[in-house]
Amino acid sequence: WSSDVCSSDLQQAYAPPPVTSSIIPGSAEDFRVNVGDTVHFGYNQYNVEDADKQILSRQAAWLQKYPSVKVSVEGHADERGTREYNLALGARRANAVKEYLVSQGVSAGRVETVSYGKERPICTDSNEACWSQNRRGVTTITGGANS
């Protein structure tokens, strides 16, 4: 080979192909990774905070782009309080998310809600850092997504 070839030419010639995402547009993974599926709530609260309205607005836009998709909004609570109280609070959280999505133009018929109360924590330590992760609303795709 000739000495005219510089090392950057060799690097380009043997560079691996660019990484392309394997995420399928309109899939549940696309929604979770590129839109965001979770919002969080304050202690004993079920109002949607301003910071979370951005996530929910992205969810609504995505759902409008993929009109065949149906979702379920899961309401969750931290470990404090009775099972009954947390199931009711989780339901209010799920409904608050649904109401926001509907206010952004998503058909109410495409959005179900379910409360898990404190039954499905993602963190099990007994401290505020953990509890704040468990006070959440999670939007999951239940049907109609690309696979």
Side-chain angles (χ1 to χ4, degrees):
W1 75 351
S2 89
S3 60
D4 297 295
V5 178
C6 74
S7 65
S8 67
D9 288 339
L10 283 174
Q11 287 174 341
Q12 285 179 342
Y14 295 102
V19 176
T20 55
S21 174
S22 62
I23 296 175
I24 299 166
S27 67
E29 186 181 17
D30 175 38
F31 182 82
R32 191 177 61 255
V33 173
N34 296 321
V35 176
D37 63 353
T38 303
V39 295
H40 293 91
F41 295 90
Y43 177 65
N44 277 343
Q45 300 292 311
Y46 57 93
N47 55 303
V48 176
E49 299 289 335
D50 286 341
D52 290 320
K53 288 179 181 175
Q54 294 175 352
I55 292 171
L56 295 179
S57 292
R58 288 198 311 265
Q59 288 184 9
W62 189 93
L63 288 165
Q64 287 170 342
K65 186 175 179 181
Y66 300 101
S68 64
V69 173
K70 293 182 184 272
V71 296
S72 178
V73 179
E74 303 172 354
H76 298 269
D78 66 35
E79 67 185 39
R80 298 170 292 179
T82 65
R83 180 176 186 276
E84 293 75 19
Y85 178 84
N86 282 319
L87 282 169
L89 182 57
R92 288 193 294 273
R93 289 174 173 165
N95 282 317
V97 170
K98 176 179 180 170
E99 287 170 14
Y100 190 87
L101 293 173
V102 169
S103 78
Q104 299 297 299
V106 177
S107 167
R110 295 173 60 197
V111 186
E112 295 179 343
T113 60
V114 62
S115 175
Y116 291 111
K118 61 182 178 179
E119 306 303 316
R120 293 188 176 184
I122 55 174
C123 182
T124 56
D125 295 337
S126 293
N127 58 51
E128 179 54 37
C130 187
W131 292 328
S132 67
Q133 293 177 54
N134 291 330
R135 296 190 302 262
R136 67 197 191 279
V138 181
T139 306
T140 59
I141 307 293
T142 58
N146 296 328
S147 53

